[in-house]
Amino acid sequence: MFESLNGINALTLIFAALLILAISYRMYGIFIANKVLRLNDKNKTPAVEFADGQDYVETNKNVLFGHHFAAIAAAGPLVGPVLAAQFGYLPGALWILIGCVLAGGVHDMVVLFASVRHKGQSLATIASKEIGAFTGTIAGFAILFILILTLAGLSLACINAMHEAAWSLFTVIITMPIAIIMGLIMRYRKNSVTFASILGGVLLIAGIIFGHDLMQIESVHNLFSWDLKTISVAIPIYGFFASVLPVWLLLVPRDYLSTYLKIGTIVMLTIGIVFIAPTVQMPAITEFIHGGGPVIGGPVLPFIFIVIACGAISGFHAVIATGTTPKMIAKEREILFVGYGAMLVEGFVALMALIAACTLMPGDYFAINTPTDAYGTFIANNPSLHTVDLDYFSEKIGIDLHGRTGGAVSLAVGMAHIFNKIPHMDELMAYWYNFAIMFEAVFILTAIDAGTRVGRFFLQEMLGSVIPKFNDKNWMPGIIVSSIIFTFSWGYLVYTGNVSSIWPLFGISNQLLAACGLIVCTTMLIRLNRGKYALCAAIPGVLMAIITFWAGYIQVMDIYIPKKQYTLAILACIAMLLMLFVFIGAFKKWYALLKMNTSATDSYGEIVKEIVER
């Protein structure tokens, strides 16, 4: 059967994906909104009830969609599918489509709903109120631990994409003043979203086009050609200001602006694929599904579920959905558009990344993603996987592409390869390659700024249990102190480079956090008397927990310990142990709630099993 799927046209995958995602939004998304969550626009959201002009800001749903999508769509939907292409295109495509519809979209909706009903508070606080104080405390430490590792890893990926790349860095930097201009316009001029959007889009396009020519001037090029250490310091500094400044001034308009670039580039890539109708060169299933591949050491099951994280389901989304987004959503019904809609778009982005990588010849893909010192052994064992076009790509782009592991370079080459096939574009391959690298950097940076702000929220809540003044979200000394502590925590790891190999650990911890979000919010759904509808969150939550513990066990016992990577093994075990405590606490609460026969009416007029403090 799989032989008949080899050599499939990329248009087939795109057409099938668009149909599945559109039908899912209209049917399953609306079902979750109406039956599972029972969203009601008559209920006041935190953005309205606690409006403060700083964090709680009622925001246009289109702008908020842009912020939310930009914040959740980091390196995961780009790099993960590219790495998973080692197994063939079919496992990745199936997991992306099934996962984002039945798991990721549900996760993002129920977590966002839970936070909206809990004053826009964090997942740890929700766990404390819905399950118990001890479980909430453990969840808080687990989430903070995972978030620090995640932001450090994302930052390293961003640094690797932007260092010594003046044009890419220039384009990323100019999004900041453009975003501030947009934020001021939307804040102080009524009905100005359209005007600000057009202005921001025009300025961004102008910056991209003229930035390429500006970088040909040696003095300007040198000004933006930063080394690793300089960018390692600059990114945490940016994260600090994005965390401290009012959300409407920098973070939201910059994420909204970046969404133009992100979605615009994906639309361009889609049009390019439609125009040239490339054949997917990677087989449906490769010989590495049983393990032993040069990119991912483990087998396709269960590793496909942790390698493709953000494109199907991601715990990092829970951080955003209980951080910035619930404090800005104007009406409950918008949870469907912002939560489920953004996840489906991210799933499509992940599929496009997979297609871009799989249109490369398999030998070229493996030559890019296999470490240089291991390539000789690899090609000796797999002589059929020799390079085909890689030398041509290297010549056109101007750099040696062999052994540039990590997924980002092979994605950029795949995108440039597709654009290069369009008539009269063959001399612009270097341009498209650098554009793709910059595109990936923007994806990553928008998750770093939102994640840092959310980390500040987490830390303020935790410090507030010891020093109550930190609970005042408008107390500027508390904002600054918590921002410095949190930013330094991940910034130090980035600067010292001690987390350069955390990506496998990131996949495990990220998916454990996703399971945590679903399981904690299932507790709330059971309390709210949703009955069998709570299974929509419970089933993917429990399955993700089991699969991720399985993958974690293999990663520790078969990879980390044999390679004597004991630090990584310890960190993985800590993440799994902390989450195990949270899951046990949640399951006990499920049992207690299901046995409960009492009922009460909450402040929203709903009949619930018990009342908890908002």
Side-chain angles (χ1 to χ4, degrees):
M1 180 183 72
F2 295 130
E3 287 296 328
S4 64
L5 294 175
N6 292 339
I8 191 172
N9 192 288
L11 285 178
T12 305
L13 291 176
I14 292 177
F15 182 70
L18 289 174
L19 282 179
I20 291 170
L21 298 178
I23 293 171
S24 299
Y25 184 88
R26 292 292 302 167
M27 296 183 66
Y28 197 53
I30 291 176
F31 170 78
I32 297 293
N34 293 340
K35 297 295 185 180
V36 181
L37 304 182
R38 301 175 193 171
L39 302 178
N40 187 350
D41 281 347
K42 293 180 180 179
N43 297 329
K44 279 188 176 182
T45 62
V48 176
E49 189 174 357
F50 308 110
D52 61 7
Q54 176 77 15
D55 295 314
Y56 292 84
V57 179
E58 188 176 351
T59 305
N60 176 279
K61 71 174 184 178
N62 296 315
V63 176
L64 185 58
F65 177 94
H67 157 72
H68 185 76
F69 172 74
I72 65 174
L78 298 177
V79 175
V82 173
L83 299 179
Q86 171 193 271
F87 300 125
Y89 74 84
L90 188 61
L94 289 175
W95 170 229
I96 289 168
L97 293 176
I98 295 171
C100 73
V101 169
L102 298 179
V106 176
H107 169 274
D108 290 13
M109 277 190 77
V110 299
V111 172
L112 181 55
F113 166 78
S115 187
V116 166
R117 288 290 180 93
H118 279 280
K119 300 182 181 180
Q121 292 175 315
S122 69
L123 184 61
T125 301
I126 295 169
S128 294
K129 294 179 178 180
E130 295 289 346
I131 302 172
F134 175 76
T135 300
T137 300
I138 297 296
F141 281 111
I143 294 167
L144 201 62
F145 172 75
I146 290 170
L147 188 56
I148 289 171
L149 291 176
T150 299
L151 291 176
L154 291 175
S155 297
L156 285 170
C158 193
I159 290 167
N160 290 334
M162 292 195 302
H163 81 91
E164 313 296 346
W167 181 44
S168 299
L169 181 63
F170 171 78
T171 306
V172 171
I173 288 177
I174 64 170
T175 62
M176 299 171 194
I178 294 173
I180 291 174
I181 293 171
M182 291 176 62
L184 291 170
I185 291 172
M186 290 188 288
R187 179 71 173 176
Y188 295 110
R189 180 175 173 176
K190 291 184 178 180
N191 303 317
S192 60
V193 173
T194 301
F195 172 71
S197 301
I198 294 173
L199 178 63
V202 169
L203 291 175
L204 178 61
I205 292 171
I208 292 172
I209 294 173
F210 294 111
H212 182 260
D213 294 330
L214 279 173
M215 293 309 111
Q216 306 308 309
I217 303 172
E218 185 177 357
S219 59
V220 178
H221 182 276
N222 293 338
L223 184 64
F224 290 96
S225 185
W226 296 1
D227 59 20
L228 283 170
K229 292 300 182 183
T230 303
I231 298 182
S232 297
V233 173
I235 288 180
I237 290 174
Y238 165 73
F240 170 79
F241 282 106
S243 174
V244 170
L245 291 174
V247 70
W248 56 266
L249 181 61
L250 176 61
L251 190 144
V252 170
R254 188 191 175 283
D255 289 355
Y256 180 50
L257 178 65
S258 298
T259 300
Y260 287 131
L261 179 60
K262 294 179 178 183
I263 295 181
T265 303
I266 292 300
V267 170
M268 287 168 54
L269 182 59
T270 305
I271 293 172
I273 291 175
V274 170
F275 190 83
I276 66 173
T279 299
V280 175
Q281 301 295 337
M282 189 69 72
I285 300 291
T286 72
E287 62 267 35
F288 301 115
I289 59 169
H290 304 296
V295 184
I296 302 162
V300 65
L301 293 177
F303 275 74
I304 191 71
F305 298 101
I306 65 169
V307 173
I308 300 181
C310 300
I313 180 173
S314 169
F316 183 73
H317 295 193
V319 175
I320 305 302
T322 61
T324 52
T325 303
K327 298 176 177 64
M328 295 185 286
I329 200 158
K331 298 177 181 178
E332 275 196 358
R333 295 290 302 180
E334 293 173 3
I335 290 174
L336 169 62
F337 175 64
V338 174
Y340 200 75
M343 181 65 241
L344 295 188
V345 173
E346 184 173 357
F348 185 73
V349 170
L351 187 69
M352 295 304 296
L354 179 68
I355 290 172
C358 289
T359 56
L360 294 174
M361 296 301 293
D364 295 336
Y365 167 86
F366 284 108
I368 296 172
N369 288 287
T370 302
T372 305
D373 57 357
Y375 184 70
T377 302
F378 169 77
I379 202 66
N381 295 329
N382 302 274
S384 62
L385 294 176
H386 55 81
T387 61
V388 178
D389 299 315
L390 195 61
D391 291 338
Y392 170 78
F393 295 152
S394 296
E395 180 184 353
K396 284 291 185 180
I397 293 171
I399 60 174
D400 184 6
L401 298 171
H402 290 79
R404 290 184 175 264
T405 60
V409 169
S410 48
L411 172 59
V413 173
M415 292 175 65
H417 169 61
I418 290 171
F419 291 137
N420 191 55
K421 291 288 185 180
I422 300 174
H424 311 298
M425 290 289 182
D426 55 320
E427 295 302 321
L428 298 177
M429 191 165 192
Y431 180 95
W432 287 120
Y433 172 82
N434 284 286
F435 178 83
I437 289 293
M438 177 270 298
F439 158 75
E440 294 176 70
V442 168
F443 249 92
I444 296 165
L445 201 60
T446 49
I448 291 171
D449 55 21
T452 302
R453 194 177 189 93
V454 173
R456 188 257 289 177
F457 293 154
F458 267 109
L459 194 57
Q460 274 190 270
E461 289 181 9
M462 295 177 73
L463 291 173
S465 63
V466 181
I467 305 174
K469 188 65 175 175
F470 275 90
N471 288 320
D472 181 0
K473 297 297 191 297
N474 295 316
W475 185 47
M476 189 53 66
I479 292 173
I480 293 174
V481 169
S482 54
S483 294
I484 290 174
I485 294 173
F486 183 74
T487 305
F488 179 80
S489 297
W490 63 264
Y492 176 77
L493 295 176
V494 172
Y495 186 78
T496 57
N498 289 334
V499 292
S500 60
S501 55
I502 70 167
W503 277 104
L505 177 60
F506 162 69
I508 294 168
S509 57
N510 186 58
Q511 299 305 66
L512 282 175
L513 185 54
C516 176
L518 285 166
I519 288 171
V520 168
C521 293
T522 296
T523 310
M524 179 176 173
L525 293 176
I526 296 173
R527 180 183 64 80
L528 293 177
N529 255 327
R530 297 301 195 256
K532 61 184 179 182
Y533 294 125
L535 290 172
C536 293
I539 292 173
V542 172
L543 286 176
M544 284 307 303
I546 294 171
I547 289 169
T548 310
F549 279 128
W550 175 21
Y553 175 81
I554 294 174
Q555 184 74 27
V556 171
M557 300 304 295
D558 294 352
I559 299 176
Y560 284 158
I561 291 179
K563 292 184 177 180
K564 298 183 179 180
Q565 295 175 325
Y566 299 122
T567 301
L568 294 177
I570 292 170
L571 291 175
C573 290
I574 290 173
M576 289 190 285
L577 185 62
L578 287 172
M579 281 303 178
L580 183 61
F581 279 117
V582 176
F583 297 156
I584 291 172
F587 296 150
K588 288 181 177 179
K589 186 67 175 182
W590 290 9
Y591 180 74
L593 287 170
L594 291 171
K595 287 182 61 179
M596 192 177 293
N597 294 318
T598 59
S599 62
T601 303
D602 66 8
S603 58
Y604 294 97
E606 295 189 29
I607 305 299
V608 300
K609 288 182 177 290
E610 67 178 15
I611 303 292
V612 300
E613 178 193 354
R614 287 184 62 203

